[in-house]
């Protein structure tokens, strides 16, 4: 298959691994964060980590939209469905994220709430058209990748004057999160997160382009290489990061040239700007309150803003005391550092969001058996 098979070629992978081994400086260690959960799964699924030199460490980042959604936002959605009787629609992964009091959207559905899995926001709008007597709310999550479809559906609902449809907006932004990782208390106070560079997200960068990362790379002297999700994409990105570190450079490079441009998708950016504006602050699971890191619906479209329509008030809720999802999302700990991992917490019985999502780092480690040969606490 074009643009897939070529990037999964085992012989090419071995060639890149030999090149990487020749280019790393044996006298130093390299720590790179793959921001996106898709890269985490590529590393685990295809055994890329086994091809890396011993002094190159990959650290999992918070680039999983389901994982970073805080418990308080899930609680708000459950409240809407159970207490206010709305038909709540959202993506499948969100259904199983643990919330307060042992609940999740799936368990609230079992209690009688009308909660439905949909494949797109357009599906939720269709349900609102078909059942005009019901309030239908779409719980919208995701980074810049999934934001344009939500914006288009809100504009469509406004054109059609669909009065029973609204959106609970939980869309978040990538550059702000990357910046916050480097400014987190663990870094400032204890220095427990040494990072030499970032593997930048693929799908997000198709929308926003590579240019938004350039101020970050300059300000923090951290190289960023945008990479596709195939194993050879990730391996080549690591080679490019090693070269930047060795040469003392810190700039944005684009390995994923077949899909990402410096400017990104102008049409998608325009529709996002038409519908959304920045929130002053938004809580991320694991990162806490992150300034200017999320979107809300503009006042001119407030009729489609579920938070305004139903007068919802957000309350922060702490994670399970023994769950290490927060530290894992910051890159401070590995999934195998969590006492619950693989025993109490499994994909069938998740205690935290990192084990739920198909992009979660805990799910990647569990699904592809990375934990079976990695001692707990190993670097």
């Amino acid at each position: 298959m074009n643009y897939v098979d070529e990037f999964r070629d085992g012989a090419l992978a071995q060639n890149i691994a030999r090149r990487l081994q020749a280019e790393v400086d044996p006298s130093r260690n390299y720590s790179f964060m793959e921001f996106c959960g898709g890269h985490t799964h590529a590393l685990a699924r295809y055994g890329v980590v086994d091809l890396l030199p011993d002094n190159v460490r990959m650290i999992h980042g918070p680039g999983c939209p389901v994982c970073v959604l805080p418990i308080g936002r899930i609680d708000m959605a459950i409240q809407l469905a159970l207490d206010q009787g709305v038909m709540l629609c959202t993506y499948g992964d969100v259904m199983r994220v643990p919330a307060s009091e042992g609940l999740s959207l799936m368990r609230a559905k079992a209690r009688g709430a009308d909660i439905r899995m949909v494949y797109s926001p357009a599906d939720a709008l269709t349900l609102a058209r078909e059942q005009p007597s019901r309030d239908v709310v779409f719980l919208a999550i995701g980074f810049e990748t999934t934001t344009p479809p939500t914006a288009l559906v809100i504009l469509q609902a406004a054109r059609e004057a669909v009065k029973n449809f609204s959106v609970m907006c939980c869309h978040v932004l990538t550059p702000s999160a990357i910046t916050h990782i480097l400014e987190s208390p663990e870094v400032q106070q204890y220095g427990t997160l040494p990072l030499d560079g970032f593997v930048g997200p693929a799908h997000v960068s198709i929308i926003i382009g590579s240019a938004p990362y350039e101020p970050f790379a300059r300000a923090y002297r951290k190289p960023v290489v945008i990479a596709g999700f195939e194993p050879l994409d990730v391996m080549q990105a690591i080679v490019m990061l090693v070269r930047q570190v060795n040469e003392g450079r810190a700039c944005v490079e684009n390995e994923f040239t077949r899909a990402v441009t410096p400017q990104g998708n102008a049409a998608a950016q325009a529709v996002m700007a038409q519908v959304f504006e920045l929130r002053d602050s938004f809580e991320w699971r694991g990162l806490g309150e992150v300034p200017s890191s999320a979107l809300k619906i503009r006042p001119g479209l407030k009729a489609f803003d579920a938070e305004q329509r139903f007068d919802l008030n957000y309350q922060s809720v702490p994670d399970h005391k023994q769950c290490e999802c927060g530290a894992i999302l910051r890159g401070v700990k590995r999934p195998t550092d969590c006492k619950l991992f693989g025993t109490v917490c499994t994909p069938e019985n998740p205690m935290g969001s990192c084990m739920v999502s198909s992009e979660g780092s805990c799910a990647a480690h569990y699904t592809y058996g990375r934990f079976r040969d990695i001692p707990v606490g190993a670097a």
Side-chain angles (χ1 to χ4, degrees):
M1 184 182 298
N2 284 343
Y3 300 115
V4 175
D5 291 345
E6 302 95 320
F7 293 90
R8 298 180 182 177
D9 187 291
L12 288 177
Q14 293 289 345
N15 287 339
I16 297 174
R18 285 191 288 270
R19 188 193 320 154
L20 181 60
Q21 188 70 54
E23 295 201 20
V24 297
D25 180 350
S27 67
R28 64 155 300 156
N29 293 317
Y30 302 81
S31 295
F32 302 125
M33 175 176 280
E34 80 275 5
F35 180 87
C36 187
H39 291 137
T40 300
H41 276 252
L43 288 165
R45 178 182 178 185
Y46 297 104
V48 172
V49 290
D50 297 325
L51 297 175
L52 301 181
D54 292 339
N55 58 336
V56 175
R57 178 189 175 190
M58 300 305 297
I59 299 171
H60 316 302
C64 163
V66 173
C67 300
V68 299
L69 191 64
I71 289 176
R73 294 284 163 183
I74 301 292
D75 285 352
M76 284 172 61
I78 290 173
Q79 174 197 340
L80 269 178
L82 279 177
D83 300 340
Q84 304 206 39
V86 307
M87 180 192 301
L88 185 81
C89 304
T90 194
Y91 299 119
D93 278 357
V94 187
M95 300 283 286
R96 298 173 57 243
V97 177
S100 298
E101 300 177 1
L103 281 176
S104 65
L105 291 173
M106 187 71 78
R107 290 176 177 173
K109 180 180 176 69
R111 290 191 181 184
D114 191 353
I115 299 174
R116 307 193 185 192
M117 185 193 79
V118 295
Y119 291 101
S120 74
D123 292 342
L125 181 58
T126 297
L127 288 168
R129 294 191 196 103
E130 292 173 350
Q131 302 192 46
S133 63
R134 298 288 307 280
D135 276 311
V136 177
V137 175
F138 176 64
L139 172 56
I141 73 157
F143 292 93
E144 292 90 341
T145 312
T146 56
T147 305
T150 303
L152 287 170
V153 163
I154 291 173
L155 291 176
Q156 184 68 28
R159 282 194 294 269
E160 297 179 15
V162 181
K163 300 186 182 299
N164 63 321
F165 176 76
S166 59
V167 171
M168 182 177 161
C169 181
C170 297
H171 285 299
V172 290
L173 304 173
T174 305
S176 300
I178 295 178
T179 300
H180 194 75
I181 289 168
L182 295 177
E183 295 180 346
S184 66
E186 286 79 8
V187 175
Q188 292 181 341
Q189 296 177 23
Y190 307 113
T192 55
L193 183 57
L195 288 175
D196 298 301
F198 289 84
V199 177
H203 294 157
V204 164
S205 300
I206 293 172
I207 302 296
I208 68 173
S210 60
Y213 305 104
E214 291 174 0
F216 162 84
R218 286 195 301 268
Y220 294 95
R221 297 296 302 164
K222 302 293 182 184
V224 178
V225 176
I226 297 163
F229 286 130
E230 297 302 326
L232 298 195
D233 284 319
V234 182
M235 292 185 69
Q236 181 61 29
I238 295 170
V239 172
M240 294 165 73
L241 285 169
V242 166
R243 287 175 179 167
Q244 285 206 50
V245 172
N246 288 347
E247 296 168 7
R249 295 185 292 119
C251 59
V252 178
E253 294 182 328
N254 181 15
E255 183 278 335
F256 199 31
T257 54
R258 61 190 187 276
V260 172
T261 64
Q263 295 76 30
N265 187 321
Q269 294 169 27
V271 75
M272 289 164 59
Q274 184 178 353
V275 174
F276 300 112
E277 62 183 12
L278 276 177
R279 292 181 186 261
D280 292 335
S281 184
F282 190 86
E283 183 183 9
W284 294 49
R285 189 186 298 242
L287 299 183
E289 289 288 333
V290 182
S292 303
S293 66
L295 300 172
K296 62 181 179 181
I297 298 171
R298 290 188 177 277
L301 293 164
K302 67 179 181 180
F304 302 98
D305 186 341
E307 291 185 60
Q308 298 288 327
R309 176 181 290 196
F310 297 99
D311 193 26
L312 300 177
N313 294 307
Y314 178 73
Q315 292 185 338
S316 180
V317 179
D319 288 341
H320 189 287
K321 290 182 179 179
Q322 291 183 296
C323 177
E324 298 285 6
C325 266
I328 292 167
L329 289 167
R330 290 193 302 274
V332 176
K333 293 188 177 182
R334 299 170 59 103
T336 48
D337 292 331
C338 180
K339 295 179 180 178
L340 305 181
F341 177 82
T343 54
V344 175
C345 183
T346 65
E348 292 74 30
N349 182 45
M351 298 300 294
S353 58
C354 296
M355 188 64 87
V356 173
S357 169
S358 59
E359 294 188 357
S361 55
C362 291
H365 274 65
Y366 188 93
T367 301
Y368 300 114
R370 305 308 310 171
F371 67 94
R372 297 192 178 98
D373 55 3
I374 300 176
V376 173

